[in-house]
Amino acid sequence: MRKRWTGIYTIKFNTTMEMQYRVSQVEPFVGLEELRNLQEVIKNKWLTEGPFSREFLELIKEFTGAKYALLANNGTLALFLGLLALEIGPGDEVIVPDFTFNASASTIAFTGAKPVFVDVDQNNFNIDVKRIQDSITPKTTAIMPVHVYGQACDMSGILEVATRNRLKVIEDAAQGYGVFYKKKHVGTIGDVGIISFFADKTVTSGEGAVLLTDNVHIYEKLKLLRNQGRPNSGTFIHPALGMNFRMTDLQCAVGVEQLKKFKTIETIKIRNYNLYKDSLANVDEVSFIEEVVHSNFVPFRACIKLEHLEDLLGYLENNGVQTRRFFYPLHRQPCFASLGYKTEAFPVSNELYLSGLCLPLHCGLSQEDIRYVCKLIQEFRKK
Ligand SMILES: *Cc1c(COP(=O)(O)O)cnc(C)c1O
C-alpha cells in the first residue's frame, strides 16, 4: 500500500503497465471499499443484476436527476441500444462530431444508418454547433453530441437545431459523469443519453454503462430491448424482440463505491489539473482546453496542445511517462474510408490530432509525479 496525497489508502496492484512506466496514463481509484462490496456479492451468491444494481441505478438517478435509468454492459452497447430505441436504422443519417472515440460512429453504422461527421470547436473540442445545419439533409434523423474531456457541449444550440429540423438527440456522455450543462447533468438533456463506466472513465465498474431518459416510451422500449424483449426476467414469454445488455452485481458493487467517491475523485483531478496548469504556465508553446461558461469542468485528462508532438511523445515515453494522443479524426479512420470524406473539410479535428497530448491525471499521481512530467516538458522545449 502506498500513501496518496489525499490521505486515502488504496491497494496497489502490480500490473505490467505500472512496472513499465514510472507515471502511467490511467489508474482506477479503487481499493478496500470496492473489495468489501465484492465480498458481499460473493457471500450473497447473487451474481447478476440484484441489490447492488438497484442501488447503483438509484444513486445515478439521484445524482443526475434523470427520471429513468437503465444499465448496459458498456458505453458502446448503451449507445447502440439508445439508437435502436430511437428507431434509427437503414436510410437514416446521424450527425456526430468528427473528433470523438470511434464507438460514437460505429454504433450508428451498426444500426444501418450513416454517420455524418461535423468538425469541432478549436478551443473546447466539442461539436461546432454553427456547422451542424449545413450537414443536415432530408435523411437526417438524429444528432449525437459527444461531451469530450470533461465539459458539456452547447446543448441549447444543439436542441435549437434539432427542434427546427425535427431531429432526435442522443447524447454520448461516456466521459461526462459529474458534468453539468448549466444545472442539468449531461446525458439527461436530449431524448436519451449514456454514461460509460469503463476502467479509464471518471468513475468505473470495469465495464458498464447507464442509459438515461425522461421519456417513458423510450424507457419502456429500452427495457424490452435490453432484457430479451420482456419487461422482467423469470419468464419465457417474450412480447418483443430483445437481446441481453445486462450488467452483473459484481460490477455494480464496484460502481456503487465509485459513485460515493466521485467528489473525492473530482477534487483530486481538479487539483492535479491545476498543478499542471501552474507548472506549465511559463511554457508559451503549451495551451490548455478552454473552460466554457455553460459547463462545470471535471477534467478527464490533462489535455494540452503543442508543436513537435511526435518528438515530445518519444521523449516522455523514454523517460517513463505513458502518453496518449488525442482522438484520431473519424473521417480518417480506415473503417470509415468508404464514406469518402476529405481531410480538408475537417481542419480543426485534424489540427487537434496533430498537436494534442493527454497527460496522466488519475488519482494515483503524487504532486512529485506531476512536477516530474512538467519538468520533462520544460527540458524538451529547451532542446
Ligand atoms: C469510452 C467512450 C465510449 C465507449 O464506452 P465503453 O464503455 O468503453 O464502451 C464512447 N464514447 C466516448 C466519447 C468514450 O470516451
Side-chain angles (χ1 to χ4, degrees):
M1 292 221 268
R2 186 173 80 170
K3 195 157 193 293
R4 309 307 169 117
W5 55 308
T6 52
I8 290 177
Y9 285 89
T10 53
I11 306 162
K12 193 72 187 162
F13 299 103
N14 274 325
T15 61
T16 341
M17 284 295 194
E18 275 189 281
M19 288 194 285
Q20 257 176 337
Y21 286 104
R22 172 167 166 186
V23 183
S24 63
Q25 178 71 211
V26 281
E27 184 186 292
F29 191 57
V30 288
L32 293 175
E33 303 79 10
E34 285 79 2
L35 197 56
R36 193 190 52 216
N37 279 6
L38 284 169
Q39 280 174 328
E40 203 176 313
V41 178
I42 298 297
K43 275 192 223 143
N44 292 345
K45 298 188 193 287
W46 192 276
L47 304 186
T48 186
E49 292 183 349
F52 278 111
S53 318
R54 286 192 290 274
E55 188 182 354
F56 194 40
L57 275 176
E58 281 316 307
L59 289 172
I60 292 167
K61 273 162 57 179
E62 200 183 313
F63 183 74
T64 62
K67 211 159 172 183
Y68 306 104
L70 286 160
L71 299 172
N73 334 54
N74 55 56
T76 306
L77 289 172
L79 279 174
F80 181 56
L81 205 53
L83 290 162
L84 292 181
L86 296 182
E87 297 179 356
I88 305 295
D92 293 335
E93 291 181 2
V94 178
I95 307 261
V96 64
D98 190 52
F99 184 74
T100 177
F101 184 57
N102 202 62
S104 312
S106 66
T107 50
I108 295 169
F110 262 99
T111 67
K114 179 184 166 192
V116 173
F117 308 138
V118 170
D119 210 353
V120 295
D121 183 282
Q122 63 178 344
N123 299 313
N124 62 53
F125 317 164
N126 277 326
I127 192 163
D128 187 345
V129 177
K130 295 187 301 296
R131 295 182 206 238
I132 296 178
Q133 186 67 51
D134 286 347
S135 302
I136 293 173
T137 75
K139 291 180 172 174
T140 311
T141 48
I143 307 176
M144 183 191 287
V146 184
H147 308 281
V148 296
Y149 297 157
Q151 296 192 108
C153 298
D154 169 10
M155 287 308 292
S156 59
I158 290 164
L159 290 183
E160 206 242 307
V161 187
T163 310
R164 195 172 348 115
N165 296 277
R166 295 169 176 239
L167 308 177
K168 304 268 174 51
V169 175
I170 171 167
E171 295 176 72
D172 179 346
Q175 304 181 348
Y177 192 83
V179 177
F180 290 81
Y181 172 78
K182 295 178 181 167
K183 292 261 159 10
K184 286 191 151 188
H185 197 284
V186 292
T188 67
I189 305 159
D191 296 285
V192 64
I194 73 102
I195 301 171
S196 164
F197 301 111
F198 179 62
D200 79 341
K201 306 299 197 227
T202 306
V203 284
T204 182
S205 56
E207 298 277 358
V210 71
L211 283 137
L212 307 171
T213 184
D214 281 353
N215 181 319
V216 67
H217 304 292
I218 294 174
Y219 170 68
E220 294 296 341
K221 258 189 232 163
L222 287 170
K223 217 159 108 173
L224 293 174
L225 280 166
R226 74 179 293 277
N227 191 19
Q228 312 280 15
R230 58 195 173 175
N232 296 299
S233 296
T235 160
F236 292 116
I237 300 172
H238 305 258
L241 277 177
M243 287 178 272
N244 178 352
F245 290 86
R246 297 187 303 264
M247 276 179 81
T248 66
D249 238 34
L250 287 156
Q251 294 166 311
C252 296
V254 173
V256 161
E257 279 310 313
Q258 288 278 293
L259 299 185
K260 292 178 185 167
K261 286 181 180 174
F262 168 71
K263 268 287 155 202
T264 308
I265 292 173
E266 182 189 34
T267 305
I268 300 172
K269 288 187 99 172
I270 290 174
R271 201 156 45 177
N272 285 350
Y273 190 81
N274 288 335
L275 187 53
Y276 274 116
K277 267 194 121 165
D278 292 346
S279 308
L280 294 173
N282 59 349
V283 185
D284 294 338
E285 298 91 330
V286 170
S287 64
F288 285 80
I289 197 165
E290 175 192 55
E291 293 176 36
V292 298
V293 290
H294 62 237
S295 173
N296 66 327
F297 185 31
V298 185
F300 191 65
R301 301 278 195 283
C303 297
I304 59 169
K305 289 197 289 180
L306 77 176
E307 285 172 24
H308 311 297
L309 174 66
E310 299 272 354
D311 298 333
L312 177 62
L313 287 170
Y315 187 67
L316 290 174
E317 289 275 335
N318 288 337
N319 283 285
V321 178
Q322 190 177 22
T323 58
R324 195 157 293 173
R325 296 181 72 146
F326 281 12
F327 296 120
Y328 193 56
L330 291 181
H331 75 275
R332 291 173 67 166
Q333 292 288 359
C335 64
F336 292 122
S338 64
L339 295 176
Y341 282 103
K342 299 267 188 301
T343 285
E344 304 84 79
F346 303 92
V348 179
S349 68
N350 268 304
E351 194 260 331
L352 291 179
Y353 171 66
L354 294 173
S355 64
L357 170 64
C358 297
L359 297 170
L361 195 69
H362 59 80
C363 300
L365 297 170
S366 64
Q367 285 175 294
E368 197 193 341
D369 290 334
I370 295 170
R371 291 215 175 88
Y372 171 68
V373 175
C374 294
K375 189 179 68 102
L376 290 174
I377 294 172
Q378 276 156 347
E379 275 173 15
F380 170 80
R381 182 186 59 144
K382 292 210 188 88
K383 286 187 180 148

